[in-house]
Every structure is written in structure tokens, then in C-alpha cells.
Amino acid sequence: RLKGYTNLFEASVSILCGFVVSALGEWLCFPAVTLSATVVLLPGLVLTTGAIELAARNMHAGTIRVGYALMLAFIIAFGIHLGNNAYVEIFSAPNRASNMDLAVCAPVSMWWWWLAFPVSISSICLLINVHPRNWPMCNVAAGAMFAVFWTLVIHLQLETIGPVVSAFVLGLVGNVWGRLFRRNAYSIMLPGIMLLVPGSVGVRGIMSMFGGSETGSGAQLVSQMAQTSLSIMIGLFASSFV
């Protein structure tokens, strides 16, 4: 209802998130909490959609989406960085955003991932207005994708081929369901795609560059975001031919 606030939404939310998490940084892991709090804003899905449209020769829409995704990653990263710096300078607190490596956080057991998985997929379905009758199939398709991703990337450390095969399995399950029931398969695949997309990787890379870390490591994370988007694109395209 606030005219013009739409243009400030991502920046203001990121600044507030960076400020609040910095204030609670003694009890929270800064990179994990800030990225999870802004997960809805992360540009991974927009970048992946833009890459798919470019590959489909839809140059105008694809170029706009890719450019918007990169700008959105910069806005979110800068907002978090600005909110953190504001708290640090006002209260003379330690800078907790200097290291965006998630390895510094105390991880929970990976088995909790599976317990939280149905809740995450259902929350995404609610967010993107998927009809409730399609929620079980969204969980099935995303579950098949995540099982493949867990096996290839987490256990076998196949970080290059893992996203390709995972996206292929997701697209295959969605397309088979769409052909059997003559419904739109994209709505079934979208929650799973949102789990695969690499938006947090790009934001972490830009945050690392803003925080004065080695430029090479930040650029490498941004490059990894593009690689993952292309992997998802190839997997989804390959599944459409089966």
C-alpha cells in the first residue's frame, strides 16, 4: 500500500536482517541466519529461469532476467553488509559478516534435513500458490530430486554432475506426472527447482568481496552460481526429451 516501497523492499529487508542478526550474533550463526531469512528474495530461481530462456532463444526475456538476478544478488548482499556495518559502527560491536563461510556454523545432523524437508516443500508450495491437491506430488518430485542430490553431491562429492542429474530426475518425475494426468508439470517441479537454485552462493560470494575477503574466492562463488544454474537448465532440458 506504500507507493514506491516496492523498489526498496529487497534492500530494506536485507538491511533490517543484517542489523538484527548482528545484534543477536553472539547466539546466532551470522551467514546461516541471514541467508535463511532472505531465502525468499534470493535470485537463484530468476537466474535459472533466465538461463533457460536464453537457451530457448528467448533473448529479450532471458537477458532481462539474468541481469535482474545479478543486480538482485548485489542488492541483497549490500543490504546485509550495510545493516551489519550500521550495527558495528553504532554499538562498536565485532564485525560478524567478515566471514560468510557456512562451515563456521555448528551444523545440525543431516537427518534433520529429511525431517524438515516436507515442511520446506509445503511452505514453498504455499508461497507460490500451488493448489493443495498438488502438494503431495510436489513432495514426491522434490523428494526424488533431493535423494539423488544427497547421494551424488553429499556422499559421492560429485559437485559438477550432481545438480545435472538431480534436475533431470526432477524434470522426469514432473513430466511423467503431467503426461499421465494432463496437467501443468511446471507447478510440480517449481518447489524442487527452488531447492536446487544457487542464489545463496552468489550472495555469499558478493558478501565476501564486500567484506574484504580474497576477490578470487568471492568470484569463484559467483561463478559457481552460474554453473549450477546451467546444470539445472541442462537437466531440465534433457528430461523433456524422455
Side-chain angles (χ1 to χ4, degrees):
R1 297 181 179 180
L2 298 177
K3 185 177 181 180
Y5 179 69
T6 303
N7 298 328
L8 292 174
F9 177 69
E10 291 84 2
S12 60
V13 169
S14 301
I15 293 171
L16 180 62
C17 177
F19 188 90
V20 172
V21 178
S22 295
L24 302 175
E26 186 177 350
W27 304 279
L28 302 177
C29 177
F30 186 88
V33 176
T34 51
L35 292 175
S36 61
T38 57
V39 65
V40 177
L41 305 177
L42 295 178
L45 180 61
V46 180
L47 180 63
T48 303
T49 305
I52 292 174
E53 290 180 340
L54 285 174
R57 309 299 193 276
N58 193 350
M59 298 301 176
H60 294 289
T63 303
I64 292 172
R65 288 184 185 274
V66 170
Y68 173 70
L70 295 177
M71 181 55 65
L72 187 58
F74 273 96
I75 291 173
I76 295 173
F78 179 73
I80 295 174
H81 181 73
L82 182 60
N84 171 75
N85 282 0
Y87 181 83
V88 169
E89 294 176 3
I90 293 173
F91 298 99
S92 300
N95 186 356
R96 304 184 185 278
S98 58
N99 186 4
M100 290 297 290
D101 187 1
L102 294 175
V104 302
C105 304
V108 297
S109 172
M110 289 186 179
W111 296 110
W112 282 102
W113 296 9
W114 290 102
L115 294 177
F117 183 83
V119 178
S120 301
I121 294 298
S122 299
S123 299
I124 294 174
C125 291
L126 183 65
L127 174 68
I128 60 178
N129 293 323
V130 175
H131 196 282
R133 70 184 178 192
N134 293 333
W135 289 16
M137 193 60 211
C138 289
N139 277 276
V140 171
M145 175 275 298
F146 189 65
V148 174
F149 185 86
W150 175 292
T151 302
L152 296 180
V153 178
I154 304 299
H155 288 287
L156 301 181
Q157 302 296 317
L158 300 176
E159 297 182 359
T160 301
I161 194 174
V164 178
V165 180
S166 301
F168 175 80
V169 171
L170 175 64
L172 183 63
V173 174
N175 287 327
V176 169
W177 179 87
R179 291 171 184 173
L180 288 177
F181 294 95
R182 296 182 179 180
R183 295 181 184 175
N184 184 6
Y186 185 70
S187 62
I188 299 301
M189 295 186 288
L190 188 54
I193 295 174
M194 292 185 70
L195 287 186
L196 274 180
V197 291
S200 64
V201 177
V203 172
R204 282 166 49 205
I206 297 171
M207 280 286 295
S208 298
M209 291 187 283
F210 283 158
S213 301
E214 295 182 5
T215 305
S217 62
Q220 184 178 4
L221 287 172
V222 176
S223 174
Q224 184 181 347
M225 178 177 71
Q227 293 177 16
T228 306
S229 295
L230 294 174
S231 299
I232 297 172
M233 177 198 72
I234 293 173
L236 292 177
F237 276 160
S239 67
S240 65
F241 288 102
V242 177

